[in-house]
Amino acid sequence: MTDFALWPVLAGAAAFFAVGALWYGVLLSKPWQRAAGLTNSQLREGNMALIFALTFLFEMLIAMVLWHLLARTDPKPFVVMMMAVGFAGGVMIPAIGINYLYLRKPLALFLIDAGHFLFGMAAMGAVFVWFRS
């Protein structure tokens, strides 16, 4: 396994992106919108192509870092999942939690966004397990 492999990284980022599409588009769009305090007109104001492109690029960066770590350590499949979910629970979610505390964001928004990171990283981990098998 090389330190960087395009297809697993793309697929891992795509899995994370798909979780986000389901999470914010189908499952929790209205609760998220309320918790974020955004109106329908505010949601329409942004450049969605740019927002989605940058989201995917950030998810690519996350995938590259995780893939690199896996390439360096060559863990068993269950450890890959522990690393992916552990990275979400031990780094990403606390980081957004700290940010939300200072921004005075509501707990509901934190829980929705934290769930997205947790399930998104689990999906990425599952894709990486599949690519490594």
Side-chain angles (χ1 to χ4, degrees), residues 1 7-13 62-64 66-68 70 80 84 123-133:
M1 183 162 102
W7 296 116
V9 168
L10 279 172
I62 294 166
M64 286 189 297
L66 183 57
W67 185 263
H68 175 77
L70 298 176
V80 171
M124 183 182 292
V127 166
F128 286 172
V129 166
W130 181 75
F131 265 95
R132 295 179 77 237
S133 60

Side-chain angles (χ1 to χ4, degrees), residues 4 9 13 54-68 87 124:
F4 178 79
V9 168
L54 289 174
T55 298
F56 191 77
L57 287 175
F58 286 136
E59 290 168 347
M60 283 280 297
L61 180 59
I62 294 166
M64 286 189 297
V65 169
L66 183 57
W67 185 263
H68 175 77
F87 189 72
M124 183 182 292

Side-chain angles (χ1 to χ4, degrees), residues 2 7 11 13 16 19 26 33-35 51 57-58 69 75 80 83 88-89 92 100 104 107 126 132:
T2 62
W7 296 116
F16 200 141
V19 167
V26 176
Q33 184 179 350
R34 274 192 308 278
I51 290 169
L57 287 175
F58 286 136
L69 183 59
V80 171
M83 291 168 77
M92 299 167 85
Y100 283 15
R104 303 338 190 246
L107 177 62
R132 295 179 77 237

Side-chain angles (χ1 to χ4, degrees), residues 43-105:
L43 289 177
R44 286 190 294 271
E45 288 174 4
N47 180 340
M48 292 312 294
L50 179 62
I51 290 169
F52 287 151
L54 289 174
T55 298
F56 191 77
L57 287 175
F58 286 136
E59 290 168 347
M60 283 280 297
L61 180 59
I62 294 166
M64 286 189 297
V65 169
L66 183 57
W67 185 263
H68 175 77
L69 183 59
L70 298 176
R72 290 292 175 181
T73 59
D74 194 28
K76 295 181 187 298
F78 79 93
V79 177
V80 171
M81 292 304 297
M82 288 174 58
M83 291 168 77
V85 173
F87 189 72
V91 177
M92 299 167 85
I93 292 171
I96 63 169
I98 292 166
N99 195 33
Y100 283 15
L101 287 171
Y102 287 94
L103 291 171
R104 303 338 190 246
K105 296 294 183 183

Side-chain angles (χ1 to χ4, degrees), residues 16 19-20 22-24 27-28 32 85 88-89 92-94 96 100 107-123:
F16 200 141
V19 167
L22 288 171
W23 199 258
Y24 295 110
L27 299 174
L28 297 167
W32 174 83
V85 173
M92 299 167 85
I93 292 171
I96 63 169
Y100 283 15
L107 177 62
L109 182 64
F110 170 75
L111 293 174
I112 292 167
D113 290 343
H116 166 242
F117 279 95
L118 189 66
F119 285 99
M121 288 302 292

